[in-house]
Every structure is written in C-alpha cells, then in structure tokens.
C-alpha cells in the first residue's frame, strides 16, 4: 500500500500530490501490515489442509490499472540506514534485495516470487523491470532527526540523504526508477509504528525534498513489537499460550520480520509508485494494492488467519523461498492474470 497499508494489516492512505505543508499534514501514506489483531487462531488452524484453499481468490476483487507510471526501467534501491545497524543485519537485507534479480537461486526462489510482480505493465504494455539492484547507500548513525519520527519528518530524513553537504556524497536523484528505502533501527519509533503500521510507501513532495521520489519506510520491530510486525517469528499476546512462534531463517527476529515488509513495499512501489497506477477500489484515498490483497499469506492454504504451508529448513527455521545463499519468509502478492495470490512455493506449481 502507499504510505503503504502496513505490513500485515495495511491501512490505506491519501495519494494526492500536495505541495502545501498544511495539506501534506492531512495526508497519510500507504501503510504496511501487521497480523490479524482480532482473531485467535490455534496451531491446527495454521496447518495446510486440502479442504481449505483460500489464497485470497475472489471474482469480486477488481484490481485495475489507472494509467499512472510503473517502474519499467531497471530498478535501483537506495537504502538509508537510520540509527544503529549491525553488519550482519545489513547483509541479510542486502542479500534479499539482490536476490530479486538472482537467476540461479534454488527454487522456490525470491526471483520466482518477483515474476508475479513483473506481470504488471504500464499503458504501453511494458512490464515491471526484472532487474532490481542496490545502489548507493546512506548511513545516519547519529539519528539526525531524533529517535521519534513523524510521517512528515521521514521526508526530511530523505531530503538530508539526497542533499548532503559537499563533504558527504549525497544519494543520486533518480525519480524514474529509484526506490528510496528508509530503514529505522530497533530503537527508533515512527508515528503509528506497532499500532497501524509496520511500514509504508509514498512519494516525496517537491516543497520539502525538492523532487518527487518514490520511497518506503520499514522499521525494525525487534524490541518494540515483534509480535505485531515480525509475526510469525514472534507471537502477539492475544493469540495466547497455545500458539508458538516459528524459528526465523536468519536468526534475527526483527530483521527477518522486516524482509517481508520490505518485499511488500518494493512490490507496491514498483506497480504503484505515485499512487495512480495499479490498485483496487474506486477511491484513490483508500487503495488496496497488490500486496495488501495477500496479507499474511505465505503458502498454499493461506488466507484469513491461515499463513499457508511454509517450508522447514534443516535447522528447523520456517521459510518459503530461497535467496542467493539465505532463506526468507515473504508474503505472496496478487496475480491479476489468474485473480488470486501466488508465490513460488505454491503446491500447484
């Protein structure tokens, strides 16, 4: 979603390109998601059953193209590391992004997951690019805008990254195919984090940043709310003692939880960068995007409170796709050709 409807429970946002500060304050990005806050599934509910083929399939969902641009040129992701990040944490996230274009990963693969995103086109019939790479990076170790960020101040963090002083090389300006990815460490609180959102995407305003740049924010919930934003590697209190968390594939609950949110946001930024391209619903203020339609679905049988069938690594960790060397758990995305959620680990592939 844009100011993306947060990972695991995405909440809609306002998409008009407002240049006045007063109007900007009235907008909210497309939010990421969090798990199902009012449901209490038990362990057997989350096991795959051939009698339960949910996977979000519905003839009622009308995902439409609204003629806006999509990212058809080679996509470059510019990470902004806000706060304190460990080297191993950065390596996990970098490898996931690099895995999107990796052609030789063992199936089911991250690149196989991206093939669904590539099915989306612009008005000329050009597909979303299959080439996604990491570009220049920026470190903001000293919390230049504090440890509590508003949605508005996030744009100022990005402004600092692209307009750095001459002694510090700024990030390139790439409005055509750039994705500016602001990642906040586990000691940073962002407005509505852990409540409504775990991440969101939108675009910067020229009145603040000087350019219109697609961006996303994703927070590390490892200390603040892992049961909300790092599910199923941590379990929310409302689920009770009968449900056990699964082991994360890279032994970092916060970062492993971020991976699926990052995937969610990059997929939606690519298909709806200015919030006028691919989404469902008649009101652009409350769009439902390609990842929102598949919240919490990681495998066959997923939907509602069902995660679907996941895979187990040799170490007992849960995952559903392979990267270049690592394993990841990533939610599926909506396939508008077949009209349901798909992923590389589907049992019917």
């Amino acid at each position: 979603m844009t100011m993306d409807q947060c990972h695991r429970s995405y909440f809609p946002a306002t998409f008009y390109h407002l240049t006045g500060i007063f109007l900007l304050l009235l907008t909210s990005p497309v939010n990421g998601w969090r798990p199902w806050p009012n449901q209490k599934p038990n362990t057997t509910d989350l096991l795959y059953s051939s009698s339960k083929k949910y996977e979000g399939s519905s003839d009622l969902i009308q995902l439409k193209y609204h003629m806006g641009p999509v990212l058809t040129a080679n996509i470059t992701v510019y990470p902004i590391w806000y706060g304190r990040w460990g080297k191993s944490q950065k390596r996990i996230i970098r490898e996931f992004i690099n895995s999107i274009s990796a052609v030789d990963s063992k199936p089911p693969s991250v690149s196989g997951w991206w093939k669904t995103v590539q099915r989306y086109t612009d008005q000329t019939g050009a597909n979303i690019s299959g080439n996604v790479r990491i570009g220049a990076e920026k470190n903001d170790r000293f919390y230049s805008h504090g440890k509590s960020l508003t949605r508005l101040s996030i744009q100022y963090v990005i402004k600092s990254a692209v307009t750095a002083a001459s002694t510090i090389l700024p990030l390139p300006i790439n409005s055509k195919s750039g994705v500016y990815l602001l990642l906040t460490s586990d000691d940073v609180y962002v407005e509505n984090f852990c409540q409504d959102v775990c991440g969101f995407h939108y675009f910067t305003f020229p009145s603040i940043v000087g350019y219109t740049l697609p961006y996303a924010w994703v927070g590390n919930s490892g200390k603040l709310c892992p049961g909300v934003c790092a599910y199923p590697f941590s379990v929310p209190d409302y689920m009770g003692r009968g449900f056990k968390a699964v082991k994360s594939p890279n032994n970092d609950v916060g970062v492993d939880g971020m991976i699926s949110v990052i995937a969610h946001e990059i997929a939606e930024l690519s298909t709806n960068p200015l919030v006028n391209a691919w989404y469902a619903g008649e009101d652009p203020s409350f769009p439902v995007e390609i990842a929102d339609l598949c919240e919490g679905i990681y495998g066959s049988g997923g939907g509602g409170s069902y995660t679907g069938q996941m895979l187990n690594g040799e170490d007992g960790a849960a995952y559903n796709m392979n990267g270049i060397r690592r394993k990841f758990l990533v939610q599926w995305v909506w396939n508008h050709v077949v009209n349901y959620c798909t992923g590389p680990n589907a049992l019917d592939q």
Side-chain angles (χ1 to χ4, degrees):
M1 308 173 124
T2 42
M3 276 188 164
D4 206 313
Q5 296 159 324
C6 188
H7 188 55
R8 290 177 182 147
S9 196
Y10 300 86
F11 294 78
T14 310
F15 307 107
Y16 296 112
H17 187 174
L18 308 173
T19 55
I21 295 298
F22 173 74
L23 290 178
L24 176 60
L25 290 170
L26 297 179
T27 68
S28 59
V30 183
N31 303 314
W33 53 271
R34 40 179 197 140
W36 320 277
N38 300 314
Q39 300 183 40
K40 298 181 180 181
N42 56 44
T43 52
T44 56
D45 284 336
L46 297 173
L47 297 175
Y48 174 72
S49 167
S50 59
S51 64
K52 298 172 180 174
K53 183 172 175 61
Y54 298 103
E55 299 167 29
S57 178
S58 176
D59 293 333
L60 301 178
I61 294 174
Q62 298 296 322
L63 188 74
K64 296 180 180 179
Y65 178 51
H66 299 267
M67 305 305 288
V70 299
L71 302 188
T72 57
N74 293 344
I75 298 169
T76 302
V77 179
Y78 301 101
I80 302 171
W81 306 95
Y82 192 88
R84 297 181 181 179
W85 289 91
K87 292 181 179 180
S88 62
Q89 294 178 315
K90 289 183 175 182
R91 283 196 293 266
I92 294 169
I93 293 173
R94 287 187 187 118
E95 179 173 327
F96 172 74
I97 296 171
N98 286 327
S99 294
I100 293 175
S101 297
V103 296
D104 55 355
S105 298
K106 178 182 176 181
S109 66
V110 174
S111 57
W113 166 82
W114 187 254
K115 289 185 184 302
T116 299
V117 181
Q118 285 184 260
R119 287 177 174 266
Y120 290 84
T121 64
D122 64 11
Q123 57 187 300
T124 71
N127 293 83
I128 300 294
S129 176
N131 190 336
V132 181
R133 68 179 186 89
I134 293 180
E137 303 180 27
K138 182 66 64 176
N139 291 295
D140 195 332
R141 302 183 184 89
F142 302 108
Y143 311 89
S144 63
H145 291 73
K147 290 188 175 183
S148 182
L149 302 176
T150 64
R151 296 194 175 202
L152 183 62
S153 64
I154 281 177
Q155 296 217 15
Y156 284 98
V157 174
I158 296 172
K159 177 182 180 180
S160 297
V162 299
T163 60
S166 58
T167 55
I168 304 175
L169 191 64
L171 292 181
I173 301 300
N174 183 355
S175 59
K176 182 178 180 181
S177 60
V179 170
Y180 294 80
L181 182 61
L182 177 61
L183 304 167
T184 51
S185 56
D186 60 10
D187 56 349
V188 176
Y189 175 75
V190 175
E191 182 180 358
N192 296 325
F193 188 27
C194 300
Q195 301 168 40
D196 294 340
V197 300
C198 303
F200 60 72
H201 76 85
Y202 206 49
F203 52 86
T204 62
F205 291 90
S207 58
I208 294 178
V209 179
Y211 310 90
T212 300
L213 305 173
Y215 76 90
W217 158 75
V218 178
N220 185 335
S221 66
K223 292 181 179 178
L224 294 171
C225 58
V228 175
C229 295
Y231 181 87
F233 306 128
S234 182
V235 178
D237 293 338
Y238 62 75
M239 283 189 171
R241 296 181 180 179
F243 187 81
K244 293 183 179 180
V246 299
K247 183 178 180 181
S248 67
N250 296 289
N251 298 310
D252 190 316
V253 168
V255 173
D256 275 317
M258 291 180 73
I259 292 298
S260 194
V261 191
I262 290 170
H264 179 117
E265 304 306 334
I266 292 179
E268 292 187 342
L269 269 174
S270 298
T271 55
N272 199 28
L274 301 181
V275 200
N276 60 0
W278 287 95
Y279 63 87
E282 298 302 322
D283 185 351
S285 299
F286 297 94
V288 179
E289 299 173 274
I290 72 166
D292 302 326
L293 290 166
C294 304
E295 292 174 22
I297 298 177
Y298 301 93
S300 296
S305 61
Y306 300 90
T307 60
Q309 180 158 305
M310 300 179 290
L311 304 173
N312 289 319
E314 295 179 357
D315 60 353
Y319 73 102
N320 66 347
M321 56 191 76
N322 295 288
I324 298 171
R325 290 176 298 274
R326 301 175 185 270
K327 301 180 186 302
F328 303 102
L329 184 67
V330 177
Q331 73 149 93
W332 287 5
V333 291
W334 186 260
N335 185 327
H336 68 301
V337 176
V338 295
N339 219 39
Y340 56 80
C341 300
T342 58
N345 58 310
L347 294 182
D348 57 359
Q349 290 195 15

